[in-house]
Amino acid sequence: MFTLTVEKNMKIILLITTLLIFPLYSSAHKFEAKYAIIDHPWMKIFDTNGAGYFKIKNISSYDLYLMGAVSKDVKKIELHKVTMEDDIAKMRPLEGGLEIKAGEIIELKPMSFHLMFFGINKDYEEGQMMGVELIFKSMENHFLENLENLNVKFKVDMRKSTHQHDH
Ligand SMILES: [Cu+2]
C-alpha cells in the first residue's frame, strides 16, 4: 500500500515537473562549441526572406569574430547592423565580422545586429526549426584562424516585434 501511494505521488510530481519545465526548454534552446554558446536563436520570415537573432557568449580566452552563416535552405545569409541616418533606421552589411571579445556576451536583436536570410527555398511554419551553420574566426596567435562552424537551429517565431527591412 505504502509503495503504491509513493509511486502514484511520484507520477503526479513527474507530470507537474514536466508541464512546468517543458515550455521553458522548448522556447529557450542553446547550442555550445568549445569557444562560444549560442542562446535561443529565433527568426522571423517575410515571404522568402528572414531575419535571425540570438545571444552569443564568447567562452574562449580570445576575441572572436562572427563572420556570417550558411544554410542549405537559404540562398544567401548576410550579417547586418542597423544605423540611424536622419532619424531613419537603415540596415547595412557588417563588413569584417562582428567582434565578440573574450568573455563578452552580445545580443543580436531587432533594430540591432542580426542575420539576414535572402531566398529561403523551403516553407517554414511557426515553431519549426531551420538548421544554420555559424562561421567564426579567432585572433589566436595574432592570426585570423578559422574555427569549426557552429551548428544551430533557428526557431521560426512570427509573434515578436516587426523587423523593418528595405532591401
Ligand atoms: Cu537586415
Side-chain angles (χ1 to χ4, degrees):
M1 277 306 275
F2 178 73
T3 318
L4 278 177
T5 315
V6 169
E7 257 178 37
K8 202 175 163 193
N9 283 344
M10 278 306 290
K11 271 182 189 163
I12 291 167
I13 290 167
L14 273 176
L15 178 68
I16 292 168
T17 312
T18 309
L19 288 174
L20 285 175
I21 289 173
F22 184 71
L24 292 177
Y25 278 121
S26 66
S27 66
H29 52 299
K30 274 187 189 181
F31 301 89
E32 190 166 347
K34 259 182 253 167
Y35 53 90
I37 297 172
I38 304 296
D39 194 7
H40 190 48
W42 65 280
M43 66 183 298
K44 292 179 73 82
I45 295 177
F46 326 88
D47 298 322
T48 57
N49 298 330
Y53 314 99
F54 52 86
K55 214 183 259 180
I56 175 167
K57 181 171 188 186
N58 180 351
I59 54 171
S60 78
S61 37
Y62 299 95
D63 296 348
L64 279 179
Y65 295 84
L66 172 64
M67 303 305 292
V70 288
S71 169
K72 65 176 172 54
D73 298 330
V74 187
K75 209 169 176 186
K76 188 174 75 171
I77 303 178
E78 283 180 3
L79 189 57
H80 277 187
K81 62 177 175 182
V82 174
T83 52
M84 292 305 289
E85 288 166 30
D86 301 324
D87 288 340
I88 299 163
K90 292 251 167 105
M91 302 196 316
R92 296 257 183 280
L94 184 60
E95 310 291 349
L98 174 62
E99 184 183 27
I100 308 132
K101 293 198 182 298
E104 193 181 18
I105 297 172
I106 288 185
E107 189 173 7
L108 284 77
K109 57 187 178 192
M111 296 305 289
S112 180
F113 300 116
H114 57 274
L115 289 180
M116 204 77 207
F117 301 82
F118 296 108
I120 298 167
N121 53 38
K122 197 183 145 189
D123 280 332
Y124 279 97
E125 282 166 27
E126 179 75 29
Q128 286 186 324
M129 300 283 199
M130 179 196 281
V132 174
E133 287 182 40
L134 301 177
I135 303 161
F136 288 93
K137 283 184 169 184
S138 83
M139 280 289 231
E140 196 164 348
N141 301 323
H142 307 291
F143 291 107
L144 271 178
E145 291 188 357
N146 288 306
L147 297 169
E148 217 169 89
N149 288 356
L150 213 167
N151 289 300
V152 299
K153 282 185 162 54
F154 280 76
K155 186 175 188 178
V156 176
D157 188 342
M158 304 305 286
R159 295 166 303 173
K160 300 199 180 166
S161 64
T162 318
H163 174 90
Q164 299 295 328
H165 61 136
D166 55 359
H167 295 283

